């Protein structure tokens, strides 16, 4: 498991988001054991409370389970994202990187073109109304 801290988001949020992404992408599977709070805190050079807070948030989301004696593991109910979505995400990441587009801008573009389920409009479009 590789977690890197960068950017302006709080470290707790970065840790939580990256672990969530590792689970969604299938890089962390059900029952996989995560590093202890102390070990991950040492590896990332952050306070143990920062890692503990991220782990607790993921437990609340039912992505992680912590048990005394067996540590913190990925929940058996945590699901991964379907392969076509992962492939498309990797393609978008590769294309954006090659074009020199940063992550934040890529996310903004994705949000702009996202189609709202069922109505065929993008997130930034409002359906026309008849008056």
């Amino acid at each position: 498991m590789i977690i890197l801290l960068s950017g302006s988001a709080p470290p707790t949020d970065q840790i939580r988001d990256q672990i969530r992404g590792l689970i969604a992408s299938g890089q962390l599977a059900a029952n996989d054991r995560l590093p202890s709070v102390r070990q991950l805190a040492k590896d990332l050079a952050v306070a143990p409370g920062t890692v503990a807070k991220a782990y607790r948030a993921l437990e609340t989301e039912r992505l992680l389970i912590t048990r005394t004696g067996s540590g913190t593991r990925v929940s058996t109910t945590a699901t991964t994202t379907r392969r076509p979505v992962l492939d498309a995400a990797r393609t978008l990441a590769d294309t954006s990187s090659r074009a020199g587009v940063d992550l934040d801008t890529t996310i903004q573009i994705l949000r702009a073109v996202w189609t709202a389920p069922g109505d065929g409009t993008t997130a930034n479009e409002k359906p026309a109304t008849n008056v």
Side-chain angles (χ1 to χ4, degrees):
M1 179 174 86
I2 298 174
I3 294 181
L4 303 171
L5 297 182
S6 63
S8 60
T12 300
D13 294 347
Q14 292 182 53
I15 294 166
R16 185 194 68 233
D17 291 345
Q18 288 182 50
I19 292 173
R20 190 185 296 128
L22 291 168
I23 293 169
S25 68
Q27 294 176 57
L28 280 175
N31 289 318
D32 280 354
R33 189 170 181 169
L34 276 69
S36 70
V37 166
R38 287 183 184 171
Q39 183 60 55
L40 187 56
K42 180 180 175 189
D43 293 347
L44 298 175
V46 297
T50 300
V51 175
K53 185 176 177 182
Y55 279 12
R56 279 192 307 272
L58 292 165
E59 287 173 11
T60 300
E61 294 176 34
R62 296 196 168 123
L63 293 175
L64 299 181
I65 296 174
T66 301
R67 292 201 174 108
T68 304
S70 65
T72 301
R73 295 182 181 273
V74 176
S75 168
T76 57
T77 61
T79 58
T80 60
T81 303
R82 294 186 178 165
R83 176 65 46 203
V85 175
L86 292 173
D87 292 344
R90 286 186 183 106
T91 299
L92 176 60
D94 291 343
T95 302
S96 296
S97 181
R98 281 194 306 274
V101 178
D102 66 18
L103 176 61
D104 290 335
T105 303
T106 300
I107 291 169
Q108 289 173 349
I109 293 166
L110 181 59
R111 287 183 194 279
V113 300
W114 188 263
T115 302
D119 70 7
T121 62
T122 62
N124 293 330
E125 292 176 344
K126 294 182 181 172
T129 56
N130 295 329
V131 183

